[in-house]
Amino acid sequence: MEKRYVLGAGLTAVVLAAGGGFAYLHFQIEGTPESVAADYLAAWESGNFGAMSKLVDDPPADFAARHRDFSTALGVRTVAFTPEAVVHQSDRAASLRFSSNRTLEHGTWQYDSDLKIVLRDRKWSVDWSPATLLPQLAAGGKVRVREVQAPPSLALAADGRALPDTTGAREYLQDVTESFGVDPGEGNRAWAVEYGQGTKFKELKVFGKVGHSDVRTTLDRRLQTAADKAVGGRKAAIVAVRPSTGEILAVTDRLATGKGAFFGRYAPGSTFKVVTAAAAIEDGLSPGSPAQCPQTITLGVRTIPNHEGLSLGRTTLTEAFAQSCNTTFSGLAVNRLKSAKLQAAAVVFGFNRPVADGAQRASFPTPANDSELAEAGIGQGKVEATPLNMALVAAAVQNGTWRTPRMVAAKLLKRPTEAHPVRADVIAALRPMMRAVVTRGTAAGAGLPAGTYGKTGTAEYDAAGHSHAWFIGYRGDMAFAVLIPGGGSGPKAAVPLAARFQKAL
């Protein structure tokens, strides 16, 4: 017959009576990995180190002291554990992954650790080591909390992720942190949980005080990466904005002057013909209106030539725009529009208007005579703009509204953003004209993606005929400007760069 004898808590001997004696069968195992893990973590949460010690296989003599010293060093106020499922490695070993959540004086610290459980002498127990307290303690050492300098704020992309230090937007990101982040210093102290031995300690967690935060910008990481890749090490700039909101999506600035994409003003050249065409449409012309495009034209004391000797003769306003005929638009400025109408159109597209905090506004000084007006009509002479300004011109055509650009949330700005609509008939005329530039005009055949609208610019800036290469445009809800200072021809230099940018998306 079979009999059971209780030998101790959870331990039972099973024997079989046979032939007047007893035959040994087996001993029942005390506990399970699951019950030991649950009891151990419950005792730890309540600070019952004695109960914990009883669940440990061969605990060190200073078991309780080690736990108290660890909590004292960190200033632990509360502790809670979130266990995962017990994993059985064999019939004699198991482990439990658990999350430690400790409330310290300066914040909450969460990290993961492992509880090892073994079967020895027919009893499941915790196989304890210092790594159970903190994985880094497996190699010895100690933890401490030390006051440190608060880390500076970081300017992040729109998705909350950091951009590489090599990005062409680096200087602009620094401006964002200086303007909208929190600098370390008085009133922004921080504390670090550190682990180490001797004099070598490593930060495991940093707690910052009131006000410290990173700043999320409007930069789109995909567009920013594409712009950086397209420009490479070339002295050029690409600025991309979202026409529907004014958000700056990308800025790659490799110009020789610091932050030239927002602060460096250059003659915009024929990209300004968007403005001159807008003024002409407001004055009654249409894309199909007749236009004259002689090889040269003399206005005041200034003789205006076309690039590379272009001569279209009698044509339309659209064809003169698509082929970037200087003589057509200089003639319109002087003989039809005059100074006031051209300047009024320039204001509509952001010239002489505050752009954003710190950024340079585009400049259209009142022409003093016909010679200056002739130059102004083609974006030369005293007319100047930044790449950001010209990206906003393209954005206004795409959306029908000129908007204040911004690189952070509107609520962070000191002044409210502005939105200035452009006449609907002007926009309706400009869009097919900008499309013609890409399909059959000066930007044709450069590999621009389908759906791109644009305007090229070759802006001479000295008597020797050196020129800046420009291309502005839009595709979908993205407008952009490309500038290569001293780059020569807009169609030959800036347009291919714009194509590389869009193909990299």
Side-chain angles (χ1 to χ4, degrees), residues 254-500:
R254 304 295 186 191
L255 304 177
T257 56
K259 293 175 285 190
F262 288 8
F263 297 91
R265 295 197 300 199
Y266 304 81
S270 292
T271 59
F272 187 80
K273 289 172 184 171
V274 173
V275 176
T276 307
I281 294 161
E282 284 190 348
D283 198 50
L285 296 186
S286 68
S289 291
Q292 294 295 327
C293 178
Q295 185 173 345
T296 64
I297 188 172
T298 300
L299 300 161
V301 296
R302 179 78 160 87
T303 297
I304 304 292
N306 286 327
H307 186 59
E308 296 182 342
L310 172 71
S311 176
L312 300 180
R314 183 177 173 83
T315 184
T316 64
L317 185 63
T318 293
E319 287 306 310
F321 185 87
Q323 302 301 329
S324 203
C325 186
N326 290 337
T327 55
T328 301
F329 288 89
S330 287
L332 283 172
V334 174
N335 298 325
R336 178 166 183 143
L337 299 174
K338 309 302 181 183
S339 178
K341 291 180 180 179
L342 185 57
Q343 190 169 47
V347 171
V348 169
F349 284 91
F351 283 74
N352 300 343
R353 175 183 290 160
V355 180
D357 291 335
Q360 285 279 11
R361 67 181 68 187
S363 174
F364 187 97
T366 302
N369 49 52
D370 284 353
S371 297
E372 289 189 4
L373 183 55
E375 293 175 335
I378 56 173
Q380 300 275 181
K382 297 180 180 180
V383 179
E384 292 183 321
T386 69
L388 174 61
N389 298 148
M390 296 313 296
L392 296 175
V393 169
V397 177
Q398 190 278 348
N399 184 257
T401 300
W402 184 95
R403 301 179 189 276
T404 303
R406 56 184 175 86
M407 195 182 282
V408 295
K411 64 183 180 181
L412 297 179
L413 300 176
K414 296 178 182 178
R415 66 178 71 180
T417 57
E418 298 180 14
H420 300 279
V422 185
R423 261 176 45 178
D425 61 325
V426 173
I427 294 301
L430 286 175
R431 287 171 180 165
M433 292 171 67
M434 291 183 70
R435 183 64 182 145
V437 172
V438 176
T439 57
R440 62 179 186 271
T442 53
L448 291 165
T452 302
Y453 297 67
K455 182 68 192 79
T456 57
T458 303
E460 294 185 3
Y461 60 88
D462 63 16
H466 297 115
S467 56
H468 304 312
W470 284 91
F471 185 60
I472 66 172
Y474 63 87
R475 182 165 67 100
D477 196 18
M478 179 194 71
F480 59 87
V482 175
L483 168 65
I484 307 174
S489 166
K492 294 178 181 178
V495 176
L497 181 55
R500 286 198 297 273

Side-chain angles (χ1 to χ4, degrees), residues 5 7-14 24-33 35-36 54-55 57 91-93 117-126:
Y5 296 88
L7 303 181
L11 187 64
T12 303
V14 181
Y24 167 76
L25 289 180
H26 70 276
F27 283 97
Q28 182 174 315
I29 303 301
E30 180 180 352
T32 65
S35 65
V36 169
K54 291 178 182 179
L55 294 168
D57 179 65
D91 58 356
R92 306 187 65 84
I117 309 166
V118 295
L119 176 64
R120 290 179 183 155
D121 299 327
R122 300 183 181 88
K123 178 182 179 182
W124 284 103
S125 304
V126 172

